[in-house]
């Protein structure tokens, strides 16, 4: 398993439209407040506070924000052995670690601490995988269960 390669991170707040685009790597979009919609490869995903949208590499996507939406995002390359490479919506129920690490990725990216960002991606991706596994076996928090 190779370590992830960090590309970029940041955040958006308030009403805005992010035009259709894609990345060679994956993107995580965490919704810290509000609601909106994100189109990915022709499918519309409705997102709200506590949701984390995983976007697979090369999938075209955009974002339509309502006035109070705030999102944090991270773009990276990762080995499929480290993190599943498919688009999906995770209901994290505002997991403390996910929230903290998405915010820290943004702060570190502003400071151009890209190696630290790559290092922080490892526990974040492991945490997201653990939340998904717990959801898959039905023993997780009700907020993490699929509808």
């Amino acid at each position: 398993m190779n370590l992830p390669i960090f590309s970029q991170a940041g955040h958006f707040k308030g009403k805005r439209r992010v035009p259709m685009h894609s990345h060679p790597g994956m993107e995580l979009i965490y919704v810290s407040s509000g609601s909106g919609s994100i189109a990915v490869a022709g499918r519309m995903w409705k997102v709200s506070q506590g949701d984390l949208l995983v976007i697979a590499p090369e999938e075209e996507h955009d974002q339509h924000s309502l006035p109070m939406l705030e999102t944090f995002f991270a773009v990276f390359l990762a080995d499929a052995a480290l993190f599943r490479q498919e688009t999906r919506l995770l209901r994290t129920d505002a997991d403390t670690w996910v929230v903290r690490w998405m915010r820290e990725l943004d702060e570190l990216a502003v400071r151009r601490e890209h190696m630290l960002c790559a290092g922080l991606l490892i526990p974040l991706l492991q945490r997201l995988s653990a939340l998904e596994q717990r959801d898959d076996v039905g023993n997780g928090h009700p907020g993490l269960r699929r509808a």
Side-chain angles (χ1 to χ4, degrees):
M1 171 178 66
N2 295 319
L3 297 178
I5 299 171
F6 174 79
S7 175
Q8 60 182 308
H11 77 279
F12 295 118
K13 187 173 185 175
K15 185 175 177 136
R16 78 179 282 152
R17 183 174 188 281
V18 177
M20 193 65 72
H21 65 286
S22 65
H23 312 279
M26 300 190 69
E27 182 170 1
L28 304 176
I29 302 175
Y30 176 74
V31 180
S32 61
S33 64
S35 62
S37 60
I38 301 171
V40 181
R43 179 176 178 187
M44 188 63 69
W45 297 83
K46 299 288 185 189
V47 294
S48 59
Q49 185 174 353
D51 287 346
L52 187 138
L53 185 61
V54 178
I55 302 174
E58 303 297 344
E59 296 261 317
E60 284 199 341
H61 58 282
D62 66 3
Q63 179 175 315
H64 299 271
S65 304
L66 298 176
M68 300 307 292
L69 181 72
E70 182 175 23
T71 60
F72 288 84
F73 68 90
V75 179
F76 58 94
L77 297 170
D79 192 287
L82 179 62
F83 196 65
R84 193 164 40 120
Q85 308 275 311
E86 72 182 57
T87 299
R88 60 205 184 274
L89 183 66
L90 306 178
R91 304 209 184 272
T92 68
D93 198 34
D95 179 84
T96 303
W97 294 109
V98 172
V99 173
R100 180 180 296 174
W101 291 334
M102 288 299 294
R103 289 179 183 274
E104 287 181 4
L105 281 170
D106 175 43
E107 290 177 25
L108 289 168
V110 167
R111 295 179 182 159
R112 301 192 187 282
E113 295 283 359
H114 297 148
M115 291 301 292
L116 292 175
C117 289
L120 186 55
L121 280 169
I122 297 167
L124 174 60
L125 298 177
Q126 289 174 336
R127 180 69 175 173
L128 293 172
S129 294
L131 291 173
E132 282 189 286
Q133 287 176 348
R134 192 167 61 186
D135 184 27
D136 288 344
V137 297
N139 294 329
H141 185 282
L144 298 175
R145 294 191 184 127
R146 291 192 179 118

